Amino acid sequence: MFLNSFADLGSLPPGSKGVVVRINGGRGLVARLSRMGIVPGAEVKVVSKAPVGGPILVEVNGAQVALGRGVARKVVVRPHA
Amino acid sequence: MLRVALVGQPNSGKSTLFNSIVGYRAVSSNFPGTTVEILKGRALVGGRPAEVVDLPGIYSLRAEDPAERLTRDYLLSGEVDVIVNVVDASLLARSLELTLELVELGIPMVLCLNMMDEARRKGIEIDMERLSEILGIPVVGTVAVRGLGLNELLSAIGKAKIPKPMGFSADVERVLGELEERIGPHPRARYIAELLLVGEPLPPGVEIQEPDPGLEELRRKLVEDRGEDPALVFSSERHALALRLFEQVARVRHAKPSFRDRLDAVLMHRLFGYPVMLGVLFLLFYLVFEVGGMLEGYLLPPLEALTEAVEGAIPGPFGKVLGGALQGFWAGIGIVLPYLLPFLFFLAFLEDVGYLPRIGFLLDGLMHRIGLHGKSVIPFLLGYGCSVPAVLATRILEDERDRLITAALAVMVPCAARTVVIFGLVGRYVGPLIAFSLYLLNVVVVAAAGALLRKLLPGVGPGLIMEIPPYRIPTMRTILLKVWLRLRGFVTVAWPTLIVASAFFSLIDVLGWTRFLNTLLLPVTWPLGLPEAVGVPLVFGILRKELSLIMLGQALGTVDFGAVLTGIQMVVFTVFVIFYVPCIATVAALWKDFGARRTLLVSLGTVGVAMAIGLLVRLFALLWTAVAGA
């Protein structure tokens, strides 16, 4: 339970929600994500995923943001049960 | 005169608001020395004239992003008396993050909650009085597309107040307060303290005493306490504050998902999204060519007749050169505009409705294969209309490397002028199916060139981070303004270049250098199996791609191309025209945005691609006929 309590945003199935815990990236990525409200402590919901390694669509603060898979993998979240 | 700046996030309806306040008398300019655009206009505020500036849509005020840094520096330059923060009320929680950042600047401010109707539709009720009380500034609700609340907004601008910053967490406030004290009395001490802690450069004109030796110590303390980079600490703090503020002033009733909300279930669906997208794009091009063809039919004949009349009236070399200049002038009106105008119009419509970002979403995976991401789709699409706005549109990409690769590839996309050659030559004499397959060939070549460029220009392009705005019903005004802003690049840069260059080539013709040019171009025409006389038309194609077709008729002495050229020659000629050097107007646009060296590299690169693909097509065609004939 404790071990898999964190996950990267890219691995969550559509419909799941979670809280951002950490962003594994450089300052530039962190700044670009924080512009969209994706910062530690933010509630995010995975809305949908594009096929073949395409981006995922997440909802933050009522707004929808598309994240490339590579970006999504760097966002660590604690999923809600 | 009161100077008012509109600041807001992208898609907040800021431009619509600006249009309704100042009308069409807006003048657009760039931040000095940059490609970031600002619009200025006049309006009456409380009966007194005021200057209103529309700043670029930004999400925050961070130094890493040029538009954001410039906006911040501009706001702090003392050239702004009042900030009007335009906010999409239906996205209030998210939008308040920028609001809270602006609050820290200590400049008189008004909060404009735009799209109140959308907010209501989503079941968000906002207590504007409470919000006004907490921030200490006037708060006005508007629906800019319908002109609601504009008078209230204008009168509120006259009553703008310096906002009250909302306090961060106690530990952050302590560090901030300590640093503020060391900076000493300064109207923006609090904001300067934040910038110093985050480690961002101070805006020009903001001067304080030598950075305090205690700064490092304070920053270390913050990092130790929070275990995070100070920049992230402030972002997280602001995110939490915005959320808390939202909860204090807004109530959300559960609203039934409307038709617009359910649209995405189909339009962004992992399977159905794609056929719908292809249908939309097909319709886009179909409409453009219908409307464009109609306009061209009306415009071109009288313009051509006029050119001939001028050349006839003024005999001799001077008349020829003048005729050349005129031809360049007409080319803008008669050939490019008929296609460019409807194209930009329909594209602006798709953009304002909110569909373009969705195309970016659907194609992001595909674009990654060529080392780019979904946002590059927009320049590519524009490229089918005209390469000039395509090059200018690369400005929406954050990363320099992404921009260059996108621009280099977008100029190889067949624009309206090249489509004239594809259909006028291959479509007419070889067959529409072959003409269509040239488009497919183009997509394949562009993708391959992208993969190659990714190898040549090492570096990791940043991944896609793109807001998908809600669907909106756009207004004619904002669409027309967008069309004009994109068209301006063509009118001011490309068109003059076209006229001068066109006159210059007429001069070459007058001087009788045609033979010489043809000989010079033998290394190109001979391996491709093209007649020697084709050299000059190819050179003229640099002016305008469709001119190569017109010149081809002159050079070969007939417009019945089927009689003088073989099918293979026509296909090879067209393939070469599609890829080699973007036209002179595009070169000018590239030059302006990327500098001489990279423009030259892109131009030479495209000649290489054109040569290689031309040879391959010739070889393939020869083999094909040999096999078919056997």
Side-chain angles (χ1 to χ4, degrees):
Chain A
M1 191 62 212
F2 182 78
L3 279 174
N4 54 18
S5 58
F6 286 169
D8 74 76
L9 193 52
S11 66
L12 296 187
S16 48
K17 294 179 185 178
V19 178
V20 177
V21 178
R22 190 173 64 234
I23 289 157
N24 289 328
R27 219 182 144 135
L29 182 74
V30 168
R32 284 190 341 123
L33 283 168
S34 69
R35 264 183 204 109
M36 298 290 163
I38 300 172
V39 289
E43 286 269 349
V44 288
K45 177 186 171 190
V46 179
V47 179
S48 67
K49 287 176 155 184
V52 288
I56 71 167
L57 187 65
V58 295
E59 199 177 290
V60 198
N61 265 1
Q64 296 198 324
V65 181
L67 299 179
R69 281 291 162 92
V71 174
R73 264 195 294 271
K74 289 174 182 150
V75 181
V76 182
V77 291
R78 189 174 57 240
H80 296 316
Chain B
M1 193 164 45
L2 193 70
R3 294 158 306 175
V4 181
L6 302 188
V7 185
Q9 299 189 334
N11 309 306
S12 60
K14 197 166 54 63
S15 301
T16 311
L17 196 72
F18 178 78
N19 280 337
S20 349
I21 294 177
V22 306
Y24 279 109
R25 287 153 296 160
V27 182
S28 122
S29 59
N30 288 350
F31 277 121
T34 67
T35 53
V36 179
E37 200 154 49
I38 48 175
L39 290 167
K40 278 188 187 173
R42 295 275 165 91
L44 285 179
V45 174
R48 296 213 322 260
E51 184 190 65
V52 184
V53 183
D54 186 19
L55 297 170
I58 51 167
Y59 289 104
S60 66
L61 294 173
R62 304 289 290 270
E64 291 97 344
D65 181 89
E68 298 188 354
R69 188 183 60 246
L70 289 163
T71 300
R72 187 188 71 187
D73 293 353
Y74 183 74
L75 292 176
L76 292 175
S77 67
E79 281 179 55
V80 175
D81 302 312
V82 176
I83 295 175
V84 175
N85 177 207
V86 186
V87 153
D88 175 354
S90 69
L91 289 175
L92 186 64
R94 209 279 306 278
S95 311
L96 281 173
E97 291 183 36
L98 175 63
T99 305
L100 291 175
E101 222 172 334
L102 291 168
V103 157
E104 303 274 342
L105 299 182
I107 296 169
M109 194 163 136
V110 173
L111 183 58
C112 169
L113 302 179
N114 193 24
M115 305 190 188
M116 287 297 276
D117 53 340
E118 298 277 329
R120 230 162 282 139
R121 200 174 57 83
K122 273 174 79 175
I124 303 173
E125 256 175 68
I126 302 166
D127 185 345
M128 297 203 287
E129 250 169 66
R130 189 84 197 280
L131 188 54
S132 165
E133 222 169 83
I134 296 172
L135 295 174
I137 55 174
V139 177
V140 186
T142 58
V143 182
V145 281
R146 287 195 271 137
L148 299 180
L150 295 182
N151 288 328
E152 288 83 347
L153 177 66
L154 287 175
S155 72
I157 292 173
K159 294 177 210 133
K161 298 246 166 29
I162 294 183
K164 294 183 276 192
M166 288 182 78
F168 297 118
S169 303
D171 58 331
V172 179
E173 279 296 330
R174 210 162 27 242
V175 174
L176 208 54
E178 232 173 281
L179 191 57
E180 221 180 309
E181 231 165 75
R182 290 183 205 195
I183 291 170
H186 189 290
R188 312 206 201 291
R190 185 181 163 86
Y191 189 61
I192 294 170
E194 180 186 329
L195 290 183
L196 287 174
L197 281 172
V198 170
E200 286 198 8
L202 291 184
V206 175
E207 272 163 39
I208 51 155
Q209 308 237 309
E210 280 292 292
D212 197 284
L215 171 62
E216 265 319 305
E217 187 195 317
L218 286 170
R219 190 188 295 158
R220 212 169 30 239
K221 188 160 170 256
L222 192 61
V223 174
E224 263 167 34
D225 284 359
R226 291 299 188 97
E228 265 167 3
D229 187 72
L232 199 53
V233 172
F234 279 98
S235 309
S236 295
E237 282 281 321
R238 232 171 238 125
H239 180 84
L241 271 185
L243 212 58
R244 202 185 317 148
L245 182 57
F246 178 77
E247 276 159 10
Q248 276 174 297
V249 301
R251 266 190 318 161
V252 186
R253 280 176 295 106
H254 187 70
K256 235 173 70 182
S258 71
F259 171 69
R260 277 191 245 176
D261 300 322
R262 276 173 299 177
L263 258 182
D264 274 336
V266 177
L267 295 188
M268 288 175 84
H269 190 272
R270 44 188 303 136
L271 294 177
F272 307 136
Y274 293 89
V276 173
M277 178 186 75
L278 287 177
V280 168
L281 292 180
F282 177 79
L283 193 68
L284 168 76
F285 289 109
Y286 179 76
L287 284 173
V288 166
F289 288 114
E290 278 292 297
V291 176
M294 208 176 66
L295 290 175
E296 191 185 345
Y298 287 125
L299 288 169
L300 215 49
L303 296 179
E304 273 175 352
L306 204 62
T307 313
E308 271 170 36
V310 167
E311 280 182 7
I314 310 171
F318 182 69
K320 282 244 173 70
V321 174
L322 192 66
L326 269 178
Q327 218 175 35
F329 184 73
W330 302 142
I333 304 179
I335 296 165
V336 183
L337 288 191
Y339 293 100
L340 194 54
L341 212 57
F343 186 81
L344 291 178
F345 181 83
F346 292 125
L347 200 72
F349 174 79
L350 283 184
E351 197 175 349
D352 279 10
V353 163
Y355 190 59
L356 279 197
R358 277 144 178 110
I359 295 183
F361 176 83
L362 289 171
L363 292 182
D364 181 65
L366 208 64
M367 299 296 277
H368 269 287
R369 307 269 153 104
I370 58 172
L372 294 169
H373 61 65
K375 268 192 192 174
S376 300
V377 166
I378 294 166
F380 282 138
L381 278 178
L382 277 165
Y384 283 101
C386 173
S387 304
V388 175
V391 169
L392 300 182
T394 58
R395 291 172 186 172
I396 58 166
L397 300 167
E398 299 101 342
D399 184 69
E400 191 62 30
R401 174 178 166 273
D402 275 9
R403 285 190 56 208
L404 182 63
I405 297 182
T406 306
L409 298 179
V411 297
M412 290 199 280
V413 169
C415 59
R418 280 171 267 185
T419 295
V420 171
V421 182
I422 296 174
F423 281 98
L425 197 61
V426 176
R428 181 135 171 242
Y429 294 102
V430 187
L433 211 62
I434 303 283
F436 180 71
S437 60
L438 287 183
Y439 281 91
L440 286 183
L441 174 74
N442 178 264
V443 171
V444 173
V445 171
V446 167
L452 187 71
L453 276 178
R454 192 166 67 151
K455 290 253 162 62
L456 292 178
L457 295 170
V460 185
L464 178 78
I465 300 177
M466 174 174 67
E467 184 180 4
I468 307 290
Y471 289 107
R472 294 267 152 73
I473 297 160
T475 59
M476 202 46 128
R477 294 177 82 126
T478 45
I479 290 182
L480 289 178
L481 187 77
K482 202 166 258 179
V483 169
W484 164 239
L485 289 178
R486 292 213 170 115
L487 205 57
R488 221 183 34 159
F490 175 78
V491 173
T492 57
V493 180
W495 209 355
T497 318
L498 202 65
I499 296 168
V500 172
S502 185
F504 177 70
F505 276 87
S506 291
L507 188 68
I508 287 181
D509 192 35
V510 169
L511 293 175
W513 289 358
T514 317
R515 287 271 312 271
F516 173 68
L517 270 179
N518 276 338
T519 315
L520 211 64
L521 281 165
L522 268 179
V524 172
T525 47
W526 183 76
L528 291 175
L530 296 171
E532 195 178 324
V534 162
V536 165
L538 283 180
V539 173
F540 272 82
I542 297 175
L543 289 186
R544 272 159 33 209
K545 291 294 175 116
E546 82 289 343
L547 199 58
S548 57
L549 186 64
I550 300 164
M551 296 299 297
L552 191 65
Q554 281 185 23
L556 298 176
T558 173
V559 283
D560 183 16
F561 298 118
V564 282
L565 292 173
T566 66
I568 297 176
Q569 283 175 325
M570 286 191 261
V571 173
V572 170
F573 176 81
T574 307
V575 164
F576 194 80
V577 167
I578 291 174
F579 292 107
Y580 88 109
V581 186
C583 71
I584 193 104
T586 309
V587 170
L590 280 172
W591 195 304
K592 201 171 156 223
D593 272 24
F594 294 96
R597 202 179 69 91
R598 287 190 276 180
T599 303
L600 189 71
L601 281 177
V602 169
S603 303
L604 288 179
T606 55
V607 174
V609 170
M611 204 65 210
I613 305 303
L615 283 173
L616 274 178
V617 167
R618 184 185 179 204
L619 206 68
F620 177 77
L622 288 176
L623 280 174
W624 178 273
T625 40
V627 170

